[in-house]
Amino acid sequence: MMAPALSYLPRATPTSRLVLQVSNLLFTEDTLSASLYPLTNALPILPKDIVILLSATPQQVVDFAQLSYKFTDQHVIHIFDHYGAAREVGHSVAPLLDTPAKSDAVVDIVKAYGYSFFSYAGDAEAQDVVVLLNSPLALAAQAFAKRTTGFGVVTVNVLRPWDEESLLAVIPPTVQNVHVLDDVASSANHGVLYGEVFGTFLSTPKLPSVHSHRVTPADTNAYLLKQDAFTSFLSSLAPAASSIESLLPASTKRLLLFSTPKTSLTTLPHVLEDLFLSNKGISASLVTDHDAFSKAGGVTANRLLLSLKKEESSYVPVPVAIPYDVTTGAVDFIAILDQSLLKSHSLFKYAKQGAVVLVASSWSVDEVVANLPTETKEIIAQKALTLFTIDASNLAAQLVGDDEYKKGVIENVIVNLAFLRLYIGQAAQESVLLKVASIAFDDIIQGVSLEQANAAAWNGLVDIDVAQSDDEPKSAALKTFDFNAIIVEGEDGDSVATGARVGNWHDAAKHLMFPDAFTPDSGVQNDDLEFPLNPALRPELPEDTFLVTCTVNRRLTPLEYDRNVFHLEFDTSGTGLKYDIGEALGIHGWNDEKEVLDFCSWYGVDPDRLITIPVAAGDEETLHTRTVFQALQQQIDLFGHPPKSFYTDLAPFASSSVDKHALLFIGSPEGVATFKKLSEKDTVTFADVLKMYSSARPGIETLCQLVGDIKPRHYSIASAQAVVGNRVDLLVVTVDWVTPSGTPRYGQCTRYLAGLRVGQKVTVSIKPSVMKLPPDNMQPLIMAGLGTGAAPFRAFLQHRAWSQQNGEKVGPVYYYFGSRHQSQEYLYGEEIEAFISDNVITRAGLAFSRDGPKKVYIQHKMLEDSEALAEMLQDQKGVFYLCGPTWPVPDVYEALVNALVKYKGYDAVSAGAYVESLKEEERYILEVY
């Protein structure tokens, strides 16, 4: 986002230059990524004289941060790895010492401080070399190269200025193939690194083969999250292979500790790391990650890597050494420090075969076993895991009493000692454990002797035998840990995670004092359902509502394009939501937070004040209690368009005679022209009317009843559930306009949807639709969609493709799509082209009205296929669908009539009657707006 502004930077001077320290941590879909594609995307528009540094190891991060200020005549951007390296704890780093450079040239300054533009690792006589930007993947590639013959890795430390001589200097003369790994947004994009590398070799007498490998954020995530994925890729480029295990010393132990931010054992991983760092022969590196979405308050994961220093040969970052791989598992030891995680998350998946798991729990052994889901028990059996538990909280209380601070300290010590015993293994004895612990801990800790704590840990550690029975009940689906945040609590104590939260003690008191108000009783009896519905979501509605999770919110049109068309995906796992092809998803959207708070400020009402209002507009008997903010954001249609009656209803509350009579006039039959102007031209909202006639100030409870509730907006579902599973997709265009007075307006629900963040919960419902597939798969489909009207047809096409893959015979599909520009608004264009190449789409009529000298619309494309359309409608029981705006309906209707007249012997009247008769047969279906 800053790149366009940086393109206007003036030349740097010793007294006026810009230094940017940029962390590389990219949020993609529902996880964090180490992809560098934003940099490569922005590179073409950045000034050529900006120095760009990239660092990946903890020492490099410190060094390059200092080095950034040594270039007195250049602007500098330093991009450091924040995915792992900059957050790794346990490394000794030293500041750079001032060293005079031979000149002010960037290459000389970098060299003076012990670095180079490019670093090489691997065989000095390599035939195959990989070139990539400095990153966690570069470090993994370096470690791989050091153990693989005929293979080398060039890491780019300085991307700008590009120095061809420096690159050629590190490339072995024996190189035959150069593989360039380019960070790109998608596989359709070109990377800039390949161009630089290829251009460098053009000037050499012997040009090696230069190959481009586009690495998308999804690829980067796969390489960092799946065991052996990146080394398997590198092996395909190298004559000899090496697995990730060989990149680590034989003594390496990988630990994964899960907790929640509020547990007393939150600091345990750091204490544990300190325990190992006290031994000068052991290397320990710790990285802390968070999942802000899968549990209220978040889940914390600490990855701790242990190895003997004498066996280390190269630095492998913790995220590469300990991936969050649920497919095979890579972890030697797992600690679960909050017992509630056993019931909600599948954490045993990360364990390798034969690993040890320690659960810190106040439950008895029988209770721990009873609370293990069936899925977890199966994993324990399959992987032959050894499970231990310790009630550290109770043991600590026995030693120090109820002092919470002392109890927390001793609890951490006890769990540390329990782990140390498991780490030592069969050789562990109580006396040996005490001797080892005395190296790291004081003899007396919070008034408790280390010997006492050691004895408590030794006697309190219990081995659990988990037996499986044949009639184990089916457990609810468990969540996995997704690394999507590096912090879940700010300095002020507020949660950084998205979704509902208790902001202060006042809010907490309201939830405790008014439980029925916050969870109204709707009278729904659904105990027998597999996925019980939550009656508190929208209790005023007769239809079932579901709470789904936004997993994708991706803009499809370019940022500079004047229409924001975006694709949404929602995870429906565990909700019981089912939908049929062509149905619509009802979105129960919220009002904009800032606008609600601004209105509260203007209206003089405290947003945290409690109000009791009807659960549904017009229902005076069923009430619930909300804060003003909750009511105005989530329920009351404050920014909707008022009906004529609102003016009349508001008039009695006006203290000004002028305001009162004006409101009465607009609400009267005589005021119809004024009302029409306000409603259709000025598109005023309830809030606007209140500001226009500001003396009309009903109490906030009364105002809520006058305004009424936000109604759900329905959007055609753009997916087939048989294909996508527990997911529902939407295709939406933001509705915005400017009034004659210059005031910007926004569609309430599309604005809400456009602002959804990944992980955010959304209340939805299902609405039946006329857009249904015919009962016979052999019936031809003729689909015409304009803009977002393509949504239901994407679901149709997914279903037809699925049917074909299952060996079913299907009839022809004619797909007509219209928008203004192919390059900007060919919605789901890649998918459509794939459907065409796979013969799912028999014929595609694509009309991009503004791309040619003459405007072409879908009816023109239909006229080109008149004979086929007439044949399908008349002889093959074809079904015609149109979805989108209403304006093309007459032209499309005429195109079908003309086709029947020209090829089936109808006259215009009888052809029109035939098309009308198709409506009764549900073979001429319109969904227009």
Side-chain angles (χ1 to χ4, degrees):
M1 293 176 67
M2 292 181 64
L6 293 177
S7 65
Y8 295 101
L9 274 176
R11 289 189 62 83
T13 68
T15 58
S16 178
R17 65 188 193 278
L18 178 69
V19 175
L20 292 177
Q21 309 285 352
V22 182
S23 64
N24 180 37
L25 195 64
L26 180 68
F27 197 91
T28 59
E29 297 188 353
D30 59 349
T31 189
L32 291 172
S33 172
S35 173
L36 284 161
Y37 91 81
L39 167 65
T40 56
N41 273 10
L43 206 59
I45 64 174
L46 292 178
K48 297 294 184 183
D49 58 348
I50 288 185
V51 176
I52 299 178
L53 309 175
L54 299 111
S55 60
T57 71
Q59 184 64 60
Q60 283 179 351
V61 172
V62 173
D63 290 349
F64 283 25
Q66 288 184 260
L67 189 59
S68 302
Y69 298 93
K70 305 298 182 183
F71 308 103
T72 57
D73 294 318
Q74 281 91 18
H75 302 299
V76 181
I77 299 175
H78 168 216
I79 298 176
F80 59 92
D81 168 39
H82 209 51
Y83 188 86
R87 298 184 298 111
E88 275 191 27
V89 180
H91 299 278
S92 298
V93 293
L96 282 176
L97 299 176
D98 280 330
T99 308
K102 188 169 66 173
S103 72
D104 289 337
V106 176
V107 65
D108 288 332
I109 295 174
V110 171
K111 186 176 181 180
Y113 287 94
Y115 286 96
S116 57
F117 276 42
F118 305 93
S119 10
Y120 180 80
D123 193 338
E125 297 181 350
Q127 293 85 46
D128 297 277
V129 166
V130 166
V131 181
L132 73 170
L133 300 178
N134 204 0
S135 65
L137 291 182
L139 299 175
Q142 291 170 19
F144 178 89
K146 291 178 181 179
R147 292 162 172 76
T148 308
T149 58
F151 186 75
V153 170
V154 174
T155 302
V156 181
N157 300 318
V158 182
L159 183 58
R160 285 286 184 272
W162 182 262
D163 190 330
E164 295 186 352
E165 290 185 8
S166 295
L167 176 59
L168 294 173
V170 300
I171 297 285
T174 53
V175 167
Q176 299 174 6
N177 297 292
V178 176
H179 301 274
V180 182
L181 306 193
D182 251 322
D183 287 272
V184 293
S186 71
S187 56
N189 296 113
H190 292 285
V192 296
L193 187 58
Y194 172 76
E196 299 283 17
V197 174
F198 185 78
T200 298
F201 283 107
L202 281 177
S203 60
T204 60
K206 183 183 177 183
L207 177 65
S209 296
V210 183
H211 309 274
S212 174
H213 302 272
R214 298 172 187 176
V215 181
T216 66
D219 294 330
T220 301
N221 290 345
Y223 293 154
L224 289 173
L225 295 178
K226 190 173 181 181
Q227 183 83 346
D228 290 338
F230 188 53
T231 50
S232 295
F233 168 71
L234 294 177
S235 297
S236 68
L237 310 178
S242 184
S243 74
I244 191 70
E245 293 288 349
S246 67
L247 302 187
L248 301 170
S251 62
T252 298
K253 295 295 181 184
R254 291 177 279 199
L255 285 61
L256 189 52
L257 301 95
F258 292 101
S259 64
T260 55
K262 300 299 182 182
T263 62
S264 56
L265 295 171
T266 301
T267 60
L268 175 71
H270 297 273
V271 178
L272 190 59
E273 185 196 32
D274 289 341
L275 172 66
F276 284 98
L277 287 176
S278 63
N279 186 322
K280 295 182 180 180
I282 294 179
S283 174
S285 301
L286 174 70
V287 170
T288 301
D289 304 320
H290 301 282
D291 181 346
F293 303 132
S294 66
K295 185 178 178 66
V299 180
T300 300
N302 289 274
R303 294 185 273 188
L304 181 57
L305 187 66
L306 305 175
S307 60
L308 297 177
K309 288 182 179 179
K310 65 182 181 181
E311 294 184 5
E312 288 184 331
S313 59
S314 58
Y315 169 68
V316 178
V318 172
V320 173
I322 313 177
Y324 292 119
D325 186 357
V326 297
T327 55
T328 58
V331 178
D332 300 285
F333 176 89
I334 290 178
I336 299 173
L337 308 178
D338 183 336
Q339 61 193 23
S340 69
L341 294 175
L342 289 175
K343 297 191 288 185
S344 61
H345 286 68
S346 182
L347 303 180
F348 289 63
K349 286 183 178 180
Y350 302 102
K352 66 190 297 185
Q353 197 74 18
V356 174
V357 180
L358 174 64
V359 179
S361 173
S362 60
W363 293 332
S364 67
V365 170
D366 291 340
E367 288 172 332
V368 170
V369 174
N371 279 286
L372 290 176
T374 303
E375 176 186 322
T376 301
K377 291 179 180 178
E378 291 173 351
I379 294 172
I380 292 172
Q382 291 167 2
K383 295 191 173 186
L385 305 181
T386 306
L387 181 62
F388 293 87
T389 185
I390 188 167
D391 186 356
S393 178
N394 182 50
L395 294 171
Q398 293 175 20
L399 294 173
V400 297
D402 296 329
D403 186 310
E404 289 299 325
Y405 175 75
K406 291 183 177 180
K407 182 181 169 185
V409 173
I410 298 303
E411 192 174 344
N412 275 271
V413 172
I414 288 174
V415 178
N416 264 279
L417 292 168
F419 167 78
L420 196 57
R421 175 182 172 182
L422 298 175
Y423 183 79
I424 295 173
Q426 294 181 350
Q429 296 179 358
E430 188 173 350
S431 58
V432 173
L433 183 60
L434 180 61
K435 185 176 180 180
V436 174
S438 64
I439 300 172
F441 295 110
D442 294 333
D443 291 337
I444 303 295
I445 307 166
Q446 297 295 324
V448 177
S449 70
L450 183 59
E451 187 175 358
Q452 286 178 291
N454 187 57
W458 185 270
N459 296 319
L461 186 64
V462 181
D463 183 3
I464 298 180
D465 181 22
V466 180
Q468 264 192 287
S469 61
D470 295 332
D471 58 346
E472 288 281 350
K474 183 181 179 182
S475 56
L478 299 177
K479 303 170 185 176
T480 55
F481 177 88
D482 292 319
F483 173 29
N484 50 44
I486 59 173
I487 185 171
V488 292
E489 188 174 278
E491 292 181 358
D492 56 0
D494 283 346
S495 171
V496 179
T498 59
R501 64 181 176 85
V502 176
N504 52 50
W505 71 269
H506 297 281
D507 291 327
K510 294 165 195 171
H511 282 76
L512 292 171
M513 293 172 64
F514 307 104
D516 292 335
F518 286 91
T519 310
D521 181 10
S522 68
V524 176
Q525 300 295 323
N526 56 14
D527 294 341
D528 295 332
L529 298 178
E530 182 182 359
F531 301 98
L533 302 172
N534 184 351
L537 288 179
R538 290 301 297 265
E540 76 279 14
L541 298 174
E543 63 262 36
D544 294 338
T545 51
F546 309 86
L547 196 62
V548 299
T549 306
C550 178
T551 55
V552 173
N553 186 347
R554 180 175 67 250
R555 180 169 178 144
L556 301 181
T557 52
L559 287 174
E560 64 274 9
Y561 194 53
D562 61 1
R563 302 183 76 208
N564 175 18
V565 183
F566 54 102
H567 170 79
L568 291 165
E569 293 179 11
F570 299 99
D571 181 11
T572 65
S573 300
T575 66
L577 187 149
K578 303 293 181 187
Y579 60 90
D580 292 326
I581 300 290
E583 289 190 322
L585 190 71
I587 300 293
H588 302 265
W590 291 2
N591 286 322
D592 182 73
E593 178 180 354
K594 184 177 184 303
E595 285 193 347
V596 170
L597 292 174
D598 288 346
F599 177 84
C600 289
S601 177
W602 174 81
Y603 206 72
V605 62
D606 180 3
D608 291 329
R609 174 185 160 191
L610 289 175
I611 56 172
T612 299
I613 57 176
V615 166
D619 181 0
E620 299 295 332
E621 296 183 3
T622 308
L623 305 175
H624 61 177
T625 301
R626 291 287 183 265
T627 66
V628 169
F629 176 76
Q630 286 174 326
L632 295 184
Q633 186 193 35
Q634 302 171 20
Q635 180 177 347
I636 304 305
D637 196 17
L638 184 62
F639 303 106
H641 302 301
K644 211 162 185 281
S645 59
F646 177 74
Y647 295 88
T648 306
D649 295 338
L650 185 62
F653 298 97
S655 58
S656 163
S657 177
V658 174
D659 286 351
K660 181 176 182 179
H661 285 91
L663 289 165
L664 289 171
F665 172 78
I666 297 169
S668 69
E670 294 79 12
V672 62
T674 304
F675 171 74
K676 188 173 182 179
K677 175 183 178 298
L678 290 171
S679 179
E680 296 178 9
K681 290 188 176 181
D682 298 332
T683 57
V684 296
T685 66
F686 289 97
D688 291 329
V689 173
L690 290 165
K691 292 179 180 180
M692 290 166 60
Y693 306 101
S694 57
S695 72
R697 290 278 181 115
I700 192 66
E701 298 91 342
T702 304
L703 178 63
C704 290
Q705 291 181 272
L706 289 176
V707 172
D709 296 342
I710 299 171
K711 293 181 174 55
R713 271 65 165 183
H714 293 92
Y715 300 87
S716 296
I717 295 173
S719 56
Q721 196 165 33
V723 177
V724 301
N726 292 326
R727 199 181 89 194
V728 58
D729 298 355
L730 294 183
L731 177 65
V732 183
V733 59
T734 298
V735 178
D736 54 48
W737 68 97
V738 178
T739 67
S741 63
T743 304
R745 300 285 193 201
Y746 306 93
Q748 182 264 347
C749 199
T750 60
R751 184 185 192 181
Y752 167 73
L753 290 173
L756 285 179
R757 293 164 295 182
V758 171
Q760 195 166 338
K761 302 292 185 181
V762 180
T763 302
V764 300
S765 54
I766 295 296
K767 181 183 179 183
S769 169
V770 295
M771 304 290 283
K772 300 175 182 177
L773 283 171
D776 185 355
N777 260 350
M778 291 302 295
Q779 287 180 256
L781 304 183
I782 307 163
M783 305 179 294
L786 273 74
T788 55
F793 304 138
R794 180 175 184 255
F796 284 17
L797 292 168
Q798 285 182 352
H799 189 270
R800 274 286 166 101
W802 177 75
S803 298
Q804 280 189 1
Q805 290 174 357
N806 289 335
E808 298 179 30
K809 292 184 178 180
V810 297
V813 175
Y814 276 49
Y815 177 74
Y816 299 96
F817 173 75
S819 66
R820 291 186 291 183
H821 301 284
Q822 180 172 7
S823 62
Q824 296 170 313
E825 207 174 349
Y826 185 13
L827 305 179
Y828 300 125
E830 293 181 359
E831 294 182 18
I832 298 304
E833 296 299 328
F835 285 136
I836 294 171
S837 64
D838 293 340
N839 294 319
V840 176
I841 295 176
T842 311
R843 162 82 174 159
L846 306 175
F848 302 104
S849 59
R850 309 290 173 84
D851 279 352
K854 183 180 178 182
K855 291 186 177 179
V856 178
Y857 298 105
I858 56 171
Q859 60 266 27
H860 300 130
K861 295 294 182 180
M862 291 173 62
L863 288 171
E864 296 173 7
D865 302 324
S866 292
E867 184 174 3
L869 295 180
E871 176 73 16
M872 288 187 287
L873 287 177
Q874 172 74 21
D875 303 325
Q876 300 176 31
K877 293 188 178 182
V879 185
F880 176 82
Y881 305 86
L882 174 64
C883 186
T886 56
W887 65 262
V889 171
D891 295 322
V892 166
Y893 177 89
E894 188 177 347
L896 294 177
V897 168
N898 288 340
L900 292 167
V901 169
K902 186 173 181 180
Y903 293 103
K904 291 300 175 182
Y906 289 90
D907 58 32
V909 175
S910 59
Y914 180 78
V915 172
E916 288 295 325
S917 72
L918 296 180
K919 292 181 181 179
E920 305 254 341
E921 299 176 31
E922 295 185 339
R923 290 174 50 211
Y924 180 76
I925 300 171
L926 306 182
E927 186 168 273
V928 293
Y929 34 84

